[in-house]
Amino acid sequence: MIIKGGIVYDPTNGIFGEEMDIFLEKGKVVEEAKGKEIDARGLLVMPGGVDAHAHVAGTKVNTGRIMRPEDARSGLEPKTKLLRPCTGYTVPNCYAIGYRYARMGYTTVFEAATPIIESRHTHEELEEIPIVDKGALTLFGSNWEVLECVRDDDLDKLAAYVAWGLRASRGYGVKVVNPGGGEAWGFGTNVKGLDDPVPNFDTTPREIIRGLVKANEMLNLPHSVHLHTNNLGKPGNYTTVLDTMDTVKDITSTRDRQVLHVTHMQFSSYGGTGWRDFESEAPQIAEYFNRNDHVTMDMGQMIFGNATTMTADGPLEYNNARLLHAKWSNHDIELEDSSGVVPLVYGRKMPVNAIQWAIGLELALLTESPWKTLLTTDHPNGGPFVNYPEVITLLMSKAKREEEMATLHELVAKRTVLPTIERELDWGDIAVMTRAAPAKVLGLAEKGHLGVGADADVTVYDLRPEKIDPARDHKRVKEALGRVKYTIKGGEVVVRDGEIVAVPRGRTYWVDASVPEKDAERVQVDLVEKFEKYYSIQKSNYMVQDAYVTDPVVVKAGVI
Ligand SMILES: [Zn+2]
């Protein structure tokens, strides 16, 4: 296939708006090829989009669906000859997830949190999400074996357990949520900061973070530790985040990437001493990113309207439910973590929500390098992923931001600096934040770019970058971003003129990391005891078997 004459943005390869042809063959980008021509003359062309953080599969998503039956009616799309029926807006069904990403030009999405014990369910749902390639990050931050290894300062054993946990869950990377807090929640409490001890384990969040970051680097994993910070969602939490990022600054990355990815930073950039004097501290966070290169973040942009929050941060969801008098689901995941689900509504006239909305945008606009700020809504926590076109147009148009701010609670002007920000991102910045950077942050060498050897995942937008001004024509831009001209996945046209025309199966990435035999054996001794004494199921029923991942991409890593 030849994609003819597009205006190409491929930041990884230093291409920013050059007219060129792209050749695809056998699912890859190649130097030269013959075959079907796609007319992209004058149209905006980018690599397929990569979402590095969304909650799209697993038990918590299903809990969200059960708790919000009305959500199903809001996104109905009937069955067609080609397509399965779709339901849902904040918690869409599996088919809708694949189709809707594809229609926006996205070809890869990573599920942000799966406990090992529930990973078979996660993969069953990932298998049912069509078109896009996938992966899942495995939860380690309150896991008993992790806490014991950290307490004993036994990094070799910790690395061996992480390697085993990734294999057991067919997971791609190390996710840490409110480290230690999930365990504390089992006793009805929480950890209050980096040095607050975890009940019964004689260790602290700081030690857990440092231990897992070191183990992650020992294992040479493609992705860094992916962290949801302690105190997330609380006024004044920005100091916790700054301290967290500083505490891993001395650890060297063994790959060409960050040592820590702090996720949905919007929820961790809060000032004030309580909800009454709640304010944005995004400028402080952005300044830290402008001075440091060892960390990356994603926005976690908030979208007004319905959201279904779901997280392994159990105590956070308890607080949300109490504050909002909302429905609440609470879950203790055996030896591994806690979690909770709370449906809620973000309101334009609610001061806290208006400020949260501004914070996400401030983070992206005040951080100079787009390589450090991935575009996410933490679907469906900040809002559903189908709103990415909305977020992109907000970043590209000050006029649009002003239109929106006029509809919000007036405190947004006093408690944030958003009204003073002139910056408008360009297509190069957007291509970085939605493709090149997420692929680099995740360590996906064949995604997020269009160099020879890259996956043949390409988006052609119905937009002429040389004729349209996104700062002014933001309505037209948003529409075009939501229904692309073409999405090409693995060399096959899957979307044409905003409609799905083919439904291939996606592949699932997971990481197989090798460790020294003696450490692997020491872990097995511990696990035999834990399965006998504590787990409700046997180890043989716990592991994700090959049958659960029918089209795997196994990425090798390990202790050198
Ligand atoms: Zn998340």
Side-chain angles (χ1 to χ4, degrees):
M1 183 186 291
I2 308 164
I3 302 165
K4 262 307 226 205
I7 307 299
V8 177
Y9 283 82
D10 178 12
T12 306
N13 296 300
I15 295 164
F16 293 92
E18 285 172 39
E19 186 186 323
M20 56 194 288
D21 300 339
I22 294 162
F23 303 96
L24 309 176
E25 196 174 76
K26 296 194 177 113
K28 293 286 175 188
V29 177
V30 294
E31 202 84 59
E32 195 78 64
K34 291 201 176 72
K36 186 179 163 183
E37 274 191 21
I38 300 273
D39 182 5
R41 274 171 300 178
L43 298 180
L44 178 64
V45 174
M46 291 187 191
V50 178
D51 191 345
H53 187 111
H55 300 270
V56 290
T59 61
K60 65 192 185 304
V61 183
N62 250 8
T63 302
R65 291 177 183 125
I66 292 163
M67 288 172 74
R68 197 157 217 175
E70 77 282 8
D71 186 71
R73 288 194 295 271
S74 61
L76 289 179
E77 296 174 52
K79 181 175 181 301
T80 69
K81 271 204 181 109
L82 181 68
L83 305 182
R84 305 264 207 142
C86 294
T87 66
Y89 169 63
T90 72
V91 274
N93 65 348
C94 297
Y95 319 121
I97 292 169
Y99 303 155
R100 289 174 190 172
Y101 269 112
R103 280 191 203 120
M104 297 193 305
Y106 274 71
T107 50
T108 307
V109 54
F110 270 59
E111 160 56 44
T114 183
I116 307 171
I117 193 172
E118 290 172 349
S119 290
R120 284 168 302 159
H121 181 145
T122 305
H123 284 287
E124 284 180 317
E125 291 199 34
L126 288 177
E127 288 281 299
E128 293 300 317
I129 297 176
I131 304 175
V132 292
D133 288 338
K134 298 143 289 197
L137 305 178
T138 306
L139 285 163
F140 285 101
S142 282
N143 182 303
W144 287 13
E145 184 69 15
V146 169
L147 299 179
E148 288 170 7
C149 291
V150 170
R151 177 196 64 198
D152 301 341
D153 202 17
D154 191 340
L155 275 179
D156 294 328
K157 192 157 92 178
L158 178 60
Y161 177 71
V162 168
W164 182 84
L166 290 176
R167 201 171 307 132
S169 62
R170 293 293 191 264
Y172 183 82
V174 176
K175 176 74 184 295
V176 180
V177 173
N178 183 19
E183 176 55 26
W185 186 233
F187 300 89
T189 176
N190 196 0
V191 287
K192 287 167 194 68
L194 286 177
D195 301 309
D196 193 13
V198 183
N200 305 318
F201 280 94
D202 193 21
T203 184
T204 63
R206 189 187 302 278
E207 289 164 357
I208 299 167
I209 294 166
R210 283 185 59 82
L212 282 170
V213 168
K214 285 181 191 166
N216 197 96
E217 296 311 318
M218 280 171 71
L219 290 167
N220 287 290
L221 299 182
H223 185 34
S224 68
V225 165
H226 193 111
L227 177 72
H228 159 134
T229 61
N230 295 109
N231 289 328
L232 184 135
K234 289 187 190 152
N237 64 11
Y238 79 106
T239 54
T240 307
V241 183
L242 293 175
D243 194 2
T244 301
M245 295 191 292
D246 260 346
T247 204
V248 297
K249 206 175 166 179
D250 63 314
I251 305 172
T252 316
S253 172
T254 51
R255 293 208 177 203
D256 176 26
R257 54 148 171 74
Q258 72 289 348
V259 287
L260 183 69
H261 179 77
V262 183
T263 191
H264 37 68
M265 187 63 97
Q266 180 271 121
F267 292 109
S268 298
S269 305
Y270 298 165
T273 57
W275 295 113
R276 280 171 196 281
D277 61 351
F278 177 71
E279 62 182 351
S280 167
E281 292 289 357
Q284 301 256 22
I285 303 288
E287 199 196 315
Y288 188 93
F289 276 81
N290 291 338
R291 280 188 283 110
N292 292 281
D293 295 321
H294 66 292
V295 279
T296 53
M297 63 165 142
D298 60 88
M299 294 167 70
Q301 176 62 30
M302 200 217 77
I303 301 292
F304 295 109
N306 284 331
T308 302
T309 65
M310 49 186 65
T311 171
D313 196 336
L316 168 75
E317 290 293 41
Y318 171 74
N319 291 332
N320 279 343
R322 293 260 301 205
L323 196 68
L324 303 165
H325 306 284
K327 278 190 254 186
W328 172 49
S329 162
N330 181 45
H331 189 32
D332 178 47
I333 309 164
E334 304 211 2
L335 280 59
E336 298 182 13
D337 222 315
S338 66
S339 72
V341 178
V342 174
L344 49 77
V345 184
Y346 294 118
R348 288 172 183 274
K349 296 295 180 191
M350 298 290 289
V352 168
N353 296 160
I355 294 165
Q356 287 178 304
W357 174 88
I359 289 174
L361 298 173
E362 285 179 320
L363 287 168
L365 293 166
L366 295 173
T367 302
E368 282 153 22
S369 169
W371 292 91
K372 294 176 179 173
T373 330
L374 316 183
L375 191 144
T376 65
T377 58
D378 188 21
H379 165 89
N381 286 303
F385 67 82
V386 291
N387 294 290
Y388 289 172
E390 167 77 7
V391 181
I392 293 170
T393 45
L394 285 165
L395 294 174
M396 297 187 86
S397 170
K398 182 164 163 57
K400 180 177 167 87
R401 295 199 291 269
E402 278 166 0
E403 274 175 36
E404 287 293 314
M405 275 188 280
T407 70
L408 306 183
H409 194 281
E410 70 270 9
L411 267 183
V412 75
K414 297 195 180 88
R415 304 274 179 87
T416 82
V417 300
L418 188 64
T420 68
I421 300 175
E422 299 293 328
R423 188 176 179 197
E424 291 175 325
L425 300 189
D426 61 22
W427 289 120
D429 298 324
I430 298 301
V432 172
M433 292 175 70
T434 57
R435 280 107 169 124
K440 180 159 192 292
V441 165
L442 287 170
L444 295 168
E446 290 161 4
K447 296 286 184 192
H449 73 102
L450 296 171
V452 170
D455 284 350
D457 297 353
V458 189
T459 314
V460 180
Y461 294 102
D462 190 11
L463 281 172
R464 297 182 180 276
E466 283 161 5
K467 299 225 167 101
I468 198 154
D469 175 8
R472 220 182 48 237
D473 307 321
H474 52 82
K475 280 206 183 75
R476 164 85 188 88
V477 169
K478 183 178 164 183
E479 208 180 276
L481 294 172
R483 291 173 62 84
V484 302
K485 182 84 176 160
Y486 294 102
T487 301
I488 294 146
K489 166 67 177 50
E492 182 180 7
V493 175
V494 292
V495 176
R496 190 189 303 127
D497 295 322
E499 301 294 334
I500 308 277
V501 294
V503 188
R505 293 180 59 80
R507 300 172 300 165
T508 300
Y509 286 80
W510 68 274
V511 170
D512 185 13
S514 58
V515 295
E517 197 57 44
K518 63 175 193 329
D519 298 322
E521 279 166 13
R522 290 196 297 136
V523 168
Q524 289 310 311
V525 172
D526 291 3
L527 288 176
V528 166
E529 191 198 347
K530 288 206 166 63
F531 276 96
E532 261 176 23
K533 273 190 172 168
Y534 305 116
Y535 268 115
S536 67
I537 62 173
Q538 292 182 357
K539 202 166 93 187
S540 55
N541 294 324
Y542 177 92
M543 312 287 288
V544 175
Q545 296 95 332
D546 286 332
Y548 283 85
V549 186
T550 55
D551 206 348
V553 183
V554 185
V555 179
K556 295 280 180 190
V559 177
I560 296 168

